[in-house]
Amino acid sequence: MAGTRAAIRYAKAILDIAQANGNAANVNNDMLSICAAVKESNELKEFLVNPTLTVSVKLNALLEVFATAQNETKSLFQLLLENKRFEILHAIASQYNALFDELNGMETAIVTTAVPLSSDLESKVLAKIKEFSNKNITIQNIVDPSIIGGFVLRIGDKQLNASVADKLQALKREFSN
């Protein structure tokens, strides 16, 4: 929990600096690539949390891996070196992306379905979502065969569960009472 709060503070600070420099979008791209790299590479994830490696080794490796990063991102690496907090780099990058999207009025709708959404169905879902939200919405489709059919829509902290599995669970609860 403390790591998450710290990540939010770091992300807010970096966003403020990047905005002041007019470079928030480029730093967002850096943070997206950091998230993707950590998510795809277990070695990088383990490298960042490894307590036996010195922080200077971690800094040099990150500067080499993300050589094309913006100055604000490289400053973040330096700050993490000074505070010995490299283990929260992924959380900082994720929080930065969320704050940047919120600042620009963008939001991601997570649609969980039993089968992948067709482009036609995705456009219909997007049109329906835009009736409820004035933000720029992007759809992320998660395929989960366990919901059997229907969909689960999650936007921010709101969720609509119209899955067959949920309806079956409701029937089961009703019959067991």
Side-chain angles (χ1 to χ4, degrees), residues 37-92:
V38 173
K39 190 175 184 181
E40 292 172 7
S41 173
N42 284 333
E43 292 85 15
L44 180 58
K45 193 182 308 180
E46 291 172 14
F47 175 79
L48 290 172
V49 298
N50 188 338
T52 61
L53 297 171
T54 64
V55 287
S56 60
V57 168
K58 292 179 182 182
L59 174 66
N60 292 333
L62 286 174
L63 289 174
E64 196 169 314
V65 170
F66 300 105
T68 60
Q70 301 298 312
N71 289 332
E72 293 86 353
T73 305
K74 291 178 181 178
S75 297
L76 171 64
F77 296 160
Q78 185 65 40
L79 186 61
L80 294 175
L81 165 85
E82 293 167 10
N83 295 329
K84 298 180 174 116
R85 299 297 305 260
F86 281 108
E87 71 278 358
I88 64 171
L89 177 61
H90 182 259
I92 294 169

Side-chain angles (χ1 to χ4, degrees), residues 164-176:
V164 172
D166 185 56
K167 291 186 183 1
L168 288 172
Q169 283 295 328
L171 278 173
K172 183 179 178 182
R173 283 190 300 272
E174 189 176 315
F175 286 134
S176 66

Side-chain angles (χ1 to χ4, degrees), residues 123-174:
S123 63
K124 287 180 183 177
V125 169
L126 193 56
K128 195 68 171 167
I129 292 171
K130 287 191 180 195
E131 291 177 13
F132 303 107
S133 178
N134 57 356
K135 293 186 175 186
N136 241 350
I137 303 288
T138 57
I139 292 182
Q140 177 185 353
N141 183 216
I142 297 174
V143 178
D144 181 5
S146 70
I147 69 167
I148 304 170
F151 65 92
V152 178
L153 173 64
R154 187 172 301 132
I155 303 174
D157 61 350
K158 297 178 186 107
Q159 177 174 308
L160 171 64
N161 192 340
S163 68
V164 172
D166 185 56
K167 291 186 183 1
L168 288 172
Q169 283 295 328
L171 278 173
K172 183 179 178 182
R173 283 190 300 272
E174 189 176 315

Side-chain angles (χ1 to χ4, degrees), residues 11-45:
K12 284 181 181 177
I14 295 300
L15 181 60
D16 288 344
I17 292 167
Q19 278 185 298
N21 295 340
N23 203 17
N26 292 328
V27 174
N28 188 55
N29 291 335
D30 288 348
M31 297 301 164
L32 288 170
S33 63
I34 289 170
C35 282
V38 173
K39 190 175 184 181
E40 292 172 7
S41 173
N42 284 333
E43 292 85 15
L44 180 58
K45 193 182 308 180

